[in-house]
Amino acid sequence: MGGNVKTTMFLKECLADALIKLLQQKPIEKITIPEISETATVGRTTYFRNFTTKNEMLIFKLVCLWNRWTEEHGVVERKRFTLNNAADFFNFNYEIKNLLELIYRRNLRSTVYDAFYEVMMPQYGTNAFECYESRFYSYALFGLLDEWVKRGFYESVEQMVENVNRICGRRQ
């Protein structure tokens, strides 16, 4: 069964990568499922078995990239934001800035928020406060990232971390 999960994840990522490749050429509305499947060299049924929308593929890819990045960088707190991991958040997003810029050019920025929310939403058995806290940080972080992308990543990661600390009333 472990092989099946790995195979499924691989195929899902192939589909997401194919969508991203096609997004470089045209808007998402003009991209068809057969085109994505052909570009990914997988059957159309693989798409329908794993996704219901093209946006889901982008969300999946962003979450995969985050999980992979946090694993490679030894990030302990991966599923929630704290002031102590602000640098991780901004370093990750700076590293994928080309993908984020593409997503923004194609007017798909809500998928970025949806991916953050998926990462930050508490898992089973959480209390109401944790749900509100996750929603608060996911919106706040998305707002900061949204402005950073729109500004062409003008500020450095360090400046963005300082902004977070200043906003939260924490001086370094």
Side-chain angles (χ1 to χ4, degrees):
M1 172 132 166
N4 269 347
V5 171
K6 282 184 178 180
T7 300
T8 298
M9 295 297 284
F10 174 76
L11 293 174
K12 287 173 72 172
E13 200 157 2
C14 287
L15 285 165
D17 290 340
L19 174 60
I20 291 166
K21 181 178 181 179
L22 292 166
L23 276 174
Q24 293 170 2
Q25 302 164 16
K26 57 185 168 179
I28 198 166
E29 303 82 31
K30 297 198 185 258
I31 298 171
T32 66
I33 302 310
E35 279 181 293
I36 295 169
S37 300
E38 184 178 318
T39 302
T41 64
V42 300
R44 285 183 343 159
T45 55
T46 303
Y47 167 83
F48 292 109
R49 193 176 322 123
N50 293 289
F51 299 108
T52 55
T53 68
K54 292 176 260 183
N55 284 347
E56 279 182 27
M57 284 191 276
L58 291 174
I59 294 165
F60 172 80
K61 181 63 177 186
L62 289 168
V63 171
C64 283
L65 289 171
W66 169 252
N67 289 335
R68 192 173 297 128
W69 191 91
T70 56
E71 182 70 30
E72 289 169 0
H73 290 84
V75 176
V76 177
E77 188 63 68
R78 300 173 185 181
K79 292 282 188 181
R80 82 188 279 258
F81 177 79
T82 67
L83 292 175
N84 295 328
N85 68 7
D88 295 323
F89 173 79
F90 289 109
N91 277 313
F92 164 72
N93 284 291
Y94 188 79
E95 199 166 294
I96 66 162
K97 76 178 189 172
N98 292 335
L99 175 57
L100 292 173
E101 289 169 338
L102 173 63
I103 289 170
Y104 271 65
R105 274 195 314 277
R106 295 298 183 196
N107 296 316
L108 300 168
R109 71 183 205 188
S110 65
T111 59
V112 176
Y113 171 75
D114 292 339
F116 291 157
Y117 184 68
E118 186 173 316
V119 166
M120 295 180 71
M121 188 60 201
Q123 301 303 311
Y124 307 100
T126 58
N127 63 41
F129 176 78
E130 289 172 334
C131 292
Y132 285 117
E133 181 183 45
S134 292
R135 185 64 79 161
F136 173 82
Y137 280 123
S138 60
Y139 273 116
L141 286 173
F142 176 73
L144 291 171
L145 179 63
D146 185 57
E147 189 61 30
W148 197 32
V149 174
K150 288 176 184 176
R151 292 171 56 84
F153 295 88
Y154 178 78
E155 293 80 10
S156 68
V157 168
E158 293 76 18
Q159 288 170 311
M160 292 305 295
V161 172
E162 176 59 26
N163 287 339
V164 168
N165 285 319
R166 288 179 62 200
I167 290 166
C168 294
R170 181 177 167 191
R171 302 284 180 236
Q172 289 192 13

